[in-house]
Amino acid sequence: MSEGMATDGDGTVAGVPVDWDAQAAVFDDEPDHGLRDPGVRAAWAERLRGWLPGRPAEILDLGCGTGSLSLLAAEQGHRVTGVDLSPAMVERARAKLAGRDAVFLTGDAAHPPVGEQRFDAVLVRHVLWALPDPARALRHWRGLLRPGGRLVLVEGVWGSVTPVGIPADRLLTLLAPLVSHTHLDLLSPDPRLWGRKVDDERYAVVARV
């Protein structure tokens, strides 16, 4: 999901209901959603190579939307399980990754319906900030990792008048008791990721257990 597009567990943004099934038809119009521009796509692919394991791995993509990051991960040799609250998003993700080693499920990102399955990496983009209890979600996601696994969390703070999001320092504080190592990757200075120059706070944290 993206700024202004992240959802909490009941399908709202800042308490306002969002029809995510309706949004699915236009979701990929944003440069960093659809990754249709070759330069934007290449920039995200490059970042994922640095964030995800270097060997083929089991990746859980939470709030996967239409599956653009899932597709990049699959192209890099990973097996992907994607979860999104919207059946229409999931349908589009399945179509986008048809023939790939990927499974998509409809469900809540905070409590994904993956049973006892465990993963080498949990990938979450622009979702954590809108969840009602980020600390609880992080604890649950930590429990979905295999030994030596990692959380890849792409977040930010958007807007100047009434900013929304989760600052990097707060996220690092929440992660401190859960993981053994964190790496902060600042993303705002790279306009290739967004299809334009941005001046708000955008970052990724890779947290290893």
Side-chain angles (χ1 to χ4, degrees), residues 51 120-122 138 142 145 148-153 171-172 175-176 178-184 204-209:
W51 298 335
D120 300 299
V122 174
L138 289 170
R142 164 66 175 81
L145 291 172
R150 66 187 76 180
L151 298 172
V152 180
L153 308 169
L171 179 52
L172 291 170
L175 287 168
L178 303 176
V179 301
S180 62
H181 174 77
T182 56
H183 172 75
L184 177 63
V205 172
V206 179
R208 299 175 185 264
V209 302

Side-chain angles (χ1 to χ4, degrees), residues 28-45:
D28 280 353
D29 292 347
E30 287 292 321
D32 61 311
H33 290 178
L35 308 184
R36 293 166 173 162
D37 179 271
V40 175
R41 193 176 196 279
W44 280 102

Side-chain angles (χ1 to χ4, degrees), residues 40-111:
V40 175
R41 193 176 196 279
W44 280 102
E46 177 184 335
R47 296 286 180 163
L48 280 188
R49 285 191 192 94
W51 298 335
L52 298 179
R55 55 176 176 77
E58 296 276 351
I59 309 299
L60 178 60
D61 184 2
L62 297 177
C64 65
T66 61
S68 293
L69 291 188
S70 293
L71 178 57
L72 293 183
E75 289 175 344
Q76 293 175 14
H78 302 298
R79 174 175 170 78
V80 180
T81 299
V83 176
D84 200 275
L85 194 65
S86 162
M89 294 281 192
V90 168
E91 181 180 350
R92 288 175 178 268
R94 286 173 178 159
K96 191 176 289 187
L97 277 85
R100 301 279 182 178
D101 195 4
V103 174
F104 291 94
L105 307 170
T106 301
D108 182 356
H111 302 282

Side-chain angles (χ1 to χ4, degrees), residues 122-145:
V122 174
L123 170 65
V124 192
R125 182 173 68 163
H126 301 165
V127 173
L128 182 67
W129 73 270
L131 296 179
D133 191 342
R136 183 177 181 181
L138 289 170
R139 289 194 299 270
H140 186 68
W141 297 343
R142 164 66 175 81
L144 297 175
L145 291 172

